[in-house]
Each structure stands twice: as structure tokens, then as C-alpha cells.
Amino acid sequence: MSKIKILLAESIHPVAQEKLQAEGYVVDLIKHAPSEEEYLKLLPQYQVLGIRSKSELTAKILKQNPHLLAVGAFCIGTNQVDLATATEVGIPTFNAPHSNTRSVAELVVAEMIALSRQLCDRSSMAHRGEWVKSADGSREVRGKTLGIIGYGHIGSQLSILAEAMGMRVVFYDVVKKLPLGNAQPKNKLDELLAAADFVSLHVPETPETKNMISKDQLFKMKKGSFLINASRGTVVNIDDLVLALKENHLGGCAIDVFPVEPASNKESFKSDLQNLKNVILTPHIGGSTEEAQYAIGLEVAESFRKFLQTGTTAGAVNFPNVDLVAKTNVIRIMNVHKNEPGVLGELNGYISEAGANIQAQYLSTDSKIGYLVVDLEMDKAKLSVSQLIDKIQKSTRNIKTHQVF
Ligand code: NAI
């Protein structure tokens, strides 16, 4: 049984606990997000920590717990972790950026149909006792053109689903992407805007995407077309969108993300888009499904397993990435060091003095740290593994060194 203890906070999906326990780790689940003070008391007994979005992993917590081997954010964002400090003290931080891809794509499919049939307005009217049975302005999505802006994980998944419903798909991306199915790339955003009956945004939040859909772009969209934004709130200028809706240039929109969002379910939500015709507003739930939570639990637990058992840091958001498979008949050591000239020579010197033979070495660096994984044959060595690790740990450039478990 491994001695590694893992704490999973904030009601992380129990599948993560099951998976990690099956690997022989001791896993404790807690429901709440501990305060800084509580984390400082809890963490000395754990080597790995899983959180969601409510825990604040401050510099103080991380600096006082440099023994932590890894942190996992069982969500998409990692703003709640002081990543610079985590790197500085040698703690790779993993997340699950793509486990909810399908959930977002499905929401957009639902919204295209709902907008096309004014479903939400009709439902609200029926709830109020108003019976409006009419085909006016209600259309099928079959044969219509969907314009996808940002043809990454979500955009391309949506492309497949839309074509399965008989839609035409055009897309625009700043990076050249392989079109899936019969989707057609557009070289210019304006070409997409002019062609699409539905425009759906799937770009990241960057300086280039801030307000990328403003008055100019909205009025280049086809009259009566629909806008869907389940990407990031800053991508659409809300004042301009309200204008395009009020002037009946757009037939409606579905917005899941907003420039300013309430911090919790206890806060109220205000938007100038409220109470406009055929406008669907949802509280940033694009990726929020039980399936996505399950997939996130599995994805981060698998990142922990691979890191602990092979040293793989692929997918870590703050660490040089190394992707490795487990090896038998070698002793594997992970070392995090300050990225300074001569550090590798120094480390190899300790290994050579110990009489160990280097079977393989994997190194990845960023501007601040180097991450080195070494496979050693130590049958004829003069020192034990722990003695060698002790020596390396005494180097002024060492941040963290330990054996892969
Ligand atoms: P991704 O990184 O796989 O794809 C983004 C694509 O946008 C890439 O192909 C990239 O080349 C392209 N892109 C970047 N800048 C662009 C620009 N200026 N113009 C055109 N294309 C550009 O990301 P993924 O996973 O598909 O996510 C897309 C968005 O969805 C992100 O903003 C993410 O935060 C958001 N999201 C929202 C969720 C929700 O709950 N509503 C849940 C999950 C993701």
C-alpha cells in the first residue's frame, strides 16, 4: 500500500476517489472549500490536493507546504491557485480543460433549435396562460448555415453535431484547422458573418477576442440571424448586442457568459439583455453537467496517477511538460531545479559520484525551472537511492527531488 495521502476538497466527483483508491492511494473527500487557516492545518498530512473553484490556494499555503507533490483543479480555470508560487516551490498543477466539451456543444445545439422556434418565449407565455399557436417565424434548423468562430475542441465537436442535423457549417479560426465532415473554412470573419444563420462563438478570452463581436460585426450578420455565446463574456459587446436586438436586426440570441458574472448563486444577476424578445440567458452552465463532472473527476485523477507513477507532467498548467511511460528495472527520480547554467552537470556529478548508471534522462525547462526525470540502474551504486536524493536536495539549485512511487 502506497503511503501517499490525497485530499479531495469541495465535493469532487467520487469517481476520482474510486480511481485513486484503486491505485493504492489513501484518499479523503471533504465537501467544503477550507479557508487558508484550515488548509494550513490540513495539508501537512497530505501529499496531493484536489480542489474545485472555491478554494484559494494562496502563496502562503503553497510556501508552507512545499512537500505537496501535485495540485489538481477539478475544473477548467486555475485562477484560484497562485500558479507562480506553485511553480517556484515545484508543485505541478493540473486541470481538466476539455472534459466538458461535449456538454457545451450540446447546449448550443439545444439553443439553435430553441431560438429558431422561439421556444423559451413560447414556454413562458404558456406558463402565463397565453396560448399562441402559430408557425410564423418558426423554422427548422435543417438546411440552415451555422458559422462557428473558433474551431477548437468545442467548435469542432459542435460542427459534427450540427451536420448530423442537416445543417451547413462554415467556420473561422486564426489557426489553420482541418475541416471535419463537410465544414467549410472562411478566411475572413466578415465572410462567415455574412453567410451564417447562426453564429456561435468558441474562442478563448484574449486581447484579440475582447469585443470581437461589436456593432460592426453584429450588423454584418444576416438580418434575422441568431448569435450564441457560450465562450467568454468579454467576447461580445453587450450594449451593441442590445441595439442589434432592439432594431430587430438579429432574430434573437443565447448568452451563457457575461462580462461580469455573479460570484455565487446567492448574488442577483442583472443584464441589459433581460426581458428582450427571443433572448435566452443562462448562468454560465455550458459545461455544467453530471457527465462533465464525472469526466473531470476521471481526467484529473488520471493526471495524478500518471504524475505519481511515471513523472508525467503533460497537461500541467504551470510546469515544463514531460510525457513518459512507466519502466521496470530502473529507479526513477524526479528533480525540479532552478534553471541556471551548469545545473545539469552538477546533478549528473552527484549521480556519477554515487556510482549509479543513467539509463535515460528526460528534461524540460521554462524560464524559471527545469524538470528532470532520470532512470537509474543502481545495482552497483555506492549510495542508496535515499542517500543520493539527500545529496541532490542539498544543492542550492534544488527545488524538489524525490523517487517516483
Ligand atoms: P480551444 O482552445 O480548444 O479552441 C479555441 C479555438 O479558438 C482555437 O482553435 C483557437 O485557434 C481559436 N481562436 C483563438 N483566437 C481566435 C480569434 N481571435 N479568432 C478566431 N479563432 C480564434 O477551446 P475550447 O475548449 O473549444 O473552448 C472554447 C471557449 O469555450 C473558451 O473560451 C472556454 O473558456 C469556453 N468554455 C465555456 C464553457 C461554459 O460553461 N460556457 C465551458 C467550457 C469552455
mmCIF file of all heavy atoms in Angstrom, residues 61-81:
data_model
loop_
_atom_site.group_PDB
_atom_site.id
_atom_site.type_symbol
_atom_site.label_atom_id
_atom_site.label_comp_id
_atom_site.label_asym_id
_atom_site.label_seq_id
_atom_site.Cartn_x
_atom_site.Cartn_y
_atom_site.Cartn_z
ATOM 1 N N ILE A 61 -0.140 29.392 1.613
ATOM 2 C CA ILE A 61 -0.439 27.954 1.719
ATOM 3 C C ILE A 61 0.629 27.142 0.986
ATOM 4 O O ILE A 61 1.152 26.155 1.511
ATOM 5 C CB ILE A 61 -1.842 27.636 1.127
ATOM 6 C CG1 ILE A 61 -2.945 28.291 1.953
ATOM 7 C CG2 ILE A 61 -2.054 26.129 1.027
ATOM 8 C CD1 ILE A 61 -4.348 28.131 1.388
ATOM 9 N N LEU A 62 0.951 27.573 -0.225
ATOM 10 C CA LEU A 62 1.890 26.789 -1.045
ATOM 11 C C LEU A 62 3.308 26.853 -0.478
ATOM 12 O O LEU A 62 4.013 25.838 -0.425
ATOM 13 C CB LEU A 62 1.850 27.287 -2.495
ATOM 14 C CG LEU A 62 0.492 27.062 -3.184
ATOM 15 C CD1 LEU A 62 0.375 27.911 -4.433
ATOM 16 C CD2 LEU A 62 0.281 25.589 -3.513
ATOM 17 N N LYS A 63 3.712 28.031 -0.025
ATOM 18 C CA LYS A 63 5.078 28.168 0.523
ATOM 19 C C LYS A 63 5.242 27.365 1.799
ATOM 20 O O LYS A 63 6.313 26.859 2.079
ATOM 21 C CB LYS A 63 5.394 29.642 0.780
ATOM 22 C CG LYS A 63 5.824 30.339 -0.501
ATOM 23 C CD LYS A 63 6.300 31.746 -0.248
ATOM 24 C CE LYS A 63 6.733 32.372 -1.560
ATOM 25 N NZ LYS A 63 6.653 33.805 -1.569
ATOM 26 N N GLN A 64 4.154 27.255 2.573
ATOM 27 C CA GLN A 64 4.266 26.488 3.826
ATOM 28 C C GLN A 64 4.083 24.986 3.598
ATOM 29 O O GLN A 64 4.252 24.195 4.515
ATOM 30 C CB GLN A 64 3.249 27.003 4.843
ATOM 31 C CG GLN A 64 3.638 28.374 5.356
ATOM 32 C CD GLN A 64 2.868 28.766 6.604
ATOM 33 O OE1 GLN A 64 2.385 27.927 7.354
ATOM 34 N NE2 GLN A 64 2.753 30.056 6.833
ATOM 35 N N ASN A 65 3.744 24.600 2.374
ATOM 36 C CA ASN A 65 3.550 23.178 2.088
ATOM 37 C C ASN A 65 4.287 22.751 0.821
ATOM 38 O O ASN A 65 3.690 22.155 -0.083
ATOM 39 C CB ASN A 65 2.049 22.869 1.952
ATOM 40 C CG ASN A 65 1.350 22.985 3.290
ATOM 41 O OD1 ASN A 65 1.436 22.083 4.115
ATOM 42 N ND2 ASN A 65 0.698 24.118 3.508
ATOM 43 N N PRO A 66 5.600 23.029 0.766
ATOM 44 C CA PRO A 66 6.334 22.690 -0.455
ATOM 45 C C PRO A 66 6.466 21.175 -0.652
ATOM 46 O O PRO A 66 6.885 20.726 -1.713
ATOM 47 C CB PRO A 66 7.710 23.333 -0.226
ATOM 48 C CG PRO A 66 7.849 23.414 1.245
ATOM 49 C CD PRO A 66 6.476 23.608 1.798
ATOM 50 N N HIS A 67 6.102 20.405 0.396
ATOM 51 C CA HIS A 67 6.167 18.938 0.265
ATOM 52 C C HIS A 67 5.071 18.417 -0.670
ATOM 53 O O HIS A 67 5.128 17.272 -1.100
ATOM 54 C CB HIS A 67 5.993 18.288 1.646
ATOM 55 C CG HIS A 67 4.594 18.451 2.168
ATOM 56 N ND1 HIS A 67 4.156 19.635 2.735
ATOM 57 C CD2 HIS A 67 3.517 17.642 2.131
ATOM 58 C CE1 HIS A 67 2.872 19.517 3.052
ATOM 59 N NE2 HIS A 67 2.460 18.309 2.691
ATOM 60 N N LEU A 68 4.053 19.249 -0.968
ATOM 61 C CA LEU A 68 2.969 18.778 -1.842
ATOM 62 C C LEU A 68 3.562 18.359 -3.185
ATOM 63 O O LEU A 68 4.338 19.088 -3.789
ATOM 64 C CB LEU A 68 1.937 19.893 -2.082
ATOM 65 C CG LEU A 68 0.914 20.152 -0.986
ATOM 66 C CD1 LEU A 68 0.033 21.335 -1.378
ATOM 67 C CD2 LEU A 68 0.049 18.916 -0.725
ATOM 68 N N LEU A 69 3.162 17.187 -3.653
ATOM 69 C CA LEU A 69 3.715 16.691 -4.920
ATOM 70 C C LEU A 69 2.949 17.259 -6.106
ATOM 71 O O LEU A 69 3.531 17.555 -7.144
ATOM 72 C CB LEU A 69 3.645 15.159 -4.962
ATOM 73 C CG LEU A 69 4.480 14.434 -3.899
ATOM 74 C CD1 LEU A 69 4.224 12.936 -3.953
ATOM 75 C CD2 LEU A 69 5.963 14.728 -4.098
ATOM 76 N N ALA A 70 1.631 17.404 -5.941
ATOM 77 C CA ALA A 70 0.817 17.919 -7.061
ATOM 78 C C ALA A 70 -0.472 18.514 -6.535
ATOM 79 O O ALA A 70 -0.968 18.123 -5.479
ATOM 80 C CB ALA A 70 0.505 16.799 -8.041
ATOM 81 N N VAL A 71 -0.998 19.448 -7.322
ATOM 82 C CA VAL A 71 -2.321 20.027 -7.044
ATOM 83 C C VAL A 71 -3.170 19.801 -8.293
ATOM 84 O O VAL A 71 -2.673 19.892 -9.423
ATOM 85 C CB VAL A 71 -2.201 21.546 -6.742
ATOM 86 C CG1 VAL A 71 -3.530 22.247 -6.906
ATOM 87 C CG2 VAL A 71 -1.662 21.775 -5.335
ATOM 88 N N GLY A 72 -4.446 19.492 -8.099
ATOM 89 C CA GLY A 72 -5.349 19.324 -9.241
ATOM 90 C C GLY A 72 -6.544 20.223 -9.080
ATOM 91 O O GLY A 72 -7.195 20.228 -8.027
ATOM 92 N N ALA A 73 -6.822 21.029 -10.096
ATOM 93 C CA ALA A 73 -8.046 21.835 -10.103
ATOM 94 C C ALA A 73 -9.061 21.012 -10.900
ATOM 95 O O ALA A 73 -8.921 20.878 -12.114
ATOM 96 C CB ALA A 73 -7.790 23.182 -10.739
ATOM 97 N N PHE A 74 -10.042 20.459 -10.191
ATOM 98 C CA PHE A 74 -11.040 19.607 -10.856
ATOM 99 C C PHE A 74 -12.082 20.518 -11.512
ATOM 100 O O PHE A 74 -13.260 20.519 -11.163
ATOM 101 C CB PHE A 74 -11.686 18.653 -9.852
ATOM 102 C CG PHE A 74 -10.789 17.493 -9.478
ATOM 103 C CD1 PHE A 74 -9.646 17.697 -8.721
ATOM 104 C CD2 PHE A 74 -11.086 16.209 -9.900
ATOM 105 C CE1 PHE A 74 -8.812 16.633 -8.391
ATOM 106 C CE2 PHE A 74 -10.266 15.147 -9.580
ATOM 107 C CZ PHE A 74 -9.121 15.356 -8.823
ATOM 108 N N CYS A 75 -11.627 21.331 -12.443
ATOM 109 C CA CYS A 75 -12.475 22.288 -13.148
ATOM 110 C C CYS A 75 -11.655 22.789 -14.337
ATOM 111 O O CYS A 75 -10.632 22.179 -14.679
ATOM 112 C CB CYS A 75 -12.883 23.438 -12.217
ATOM 113 S SG CYS A 75 -11.509 24.176 -11.329
ATOM 114 N N ILE A 76 -12.089 23.896 -14.920
ATOM 115 C CA ILE A 76 -11.378 24.388 -16.100
ATOM 116 C C ILE A 76 -10.338 25.433 -15.682
ATOM 117 O O ILE A 76 -9.166 25.329 -16.009
ATOM 118 C CB ILE A 76 -12.359 25.031 -17.114
ATOM 119 C CG1 ILE A 76 -13.615 24.185 -17.299
ATOM 120 C CG2 ILE A 76 -11.679 25.340 -18.430
ATOM 121 C CD1 ILE A 76 -13.399 22.784 -17.802
ATOM 122 N N GLY A 77 -10.801 26.438 -14.931
ATOM 123 C CA GLY A 77 -9.928 27.557 -14.578
ATOM 124 C C GLY A 77 -8.947 27.193 -13.469
ATOM 125 O O GLY A 77 -9.202 26.288 -12.655
ATOM 126 N N THR A 78 -7.823 27.921 -13.440
ATOM 127 C CA THR A 78 -6.838 27.694 -12.377
ATOM 128 C C THR A 78 -6.456 29.024 -11.709
ATOM 129 O O THR A 78 -5.423 29.124 -11.068
ATOM 130 C CB THR A 78 -5.570 27.013 -12.947
ATOM 131 O OG1 THR A 78 -5.158 27.728 -14.113
ATOM 132 C CG2 THR A 78 -5.796 25.561 -13.291
ATOM 133 N N ASN A 79 -7.342 30.041 -11.864
ATOM 134 C CA ASN A 79 -7.061 31.362 -11.256
ATOM 135 C C ASN A 79 -7.007 31.289 -9.742
ATOM 136 O O ASN A 79 -6.430 32.148 -9.094
ATOM 137 C CB ASN A 79 -8.179 32.372 -11.602
ATOM 138 C CG ASN A 79 -8.210 32.647 -13.067
ATOM 139 O OD1 ASN A 79 -7.263 32.320 -13.760
ATOM 140 N ND2 ASN A 79 -9.295 33.236 -13.539
ATOM 141 N N GLN A 80 -7.666 30.280 -9.176
ATOM 142 C CA GLN A 80 -7.732 30.170 -7.713
ATOM 143 C C GLN A 80 -6.430 29.643 -7.106
ATOM 144 O O GLN A 80 -6.297 29.575 -5.888
ATOM 145 C CB GLN A 80 -8.938 29.293 -7.302
ATOM 146 C CG GLN A 80 -8.842 27.800 -7.605
ATOM 147 C CD GLN A 80 -9.135 27.430 -9.050
ATOM 148 O OE1 GLN A 80 -8.752 28.126 -9.972
ATOM 149 N NE2 GLN A 80 -9.795 26.302 -9.260
ATOM 150 N N VAL A 81 -5.495 29.266 -7.969
ATOM 151 C CA VAL A 81 -4.196 28.772 -7.485
ATOM 152 C C VAL A 81 -3.142 29.829 -7.801
ATOM 153 O O VAL A 81 -3.081 30.326 -8.931
ATOM 154 C CB VAL A 81 -3.814 27.444 -8.191
ATOM 155 C CG1 VAL A 81 -2.492 26.903 -7.647
ATOM 156 C CG2 VAL A 81 -4.928 26.403 -8.049
#
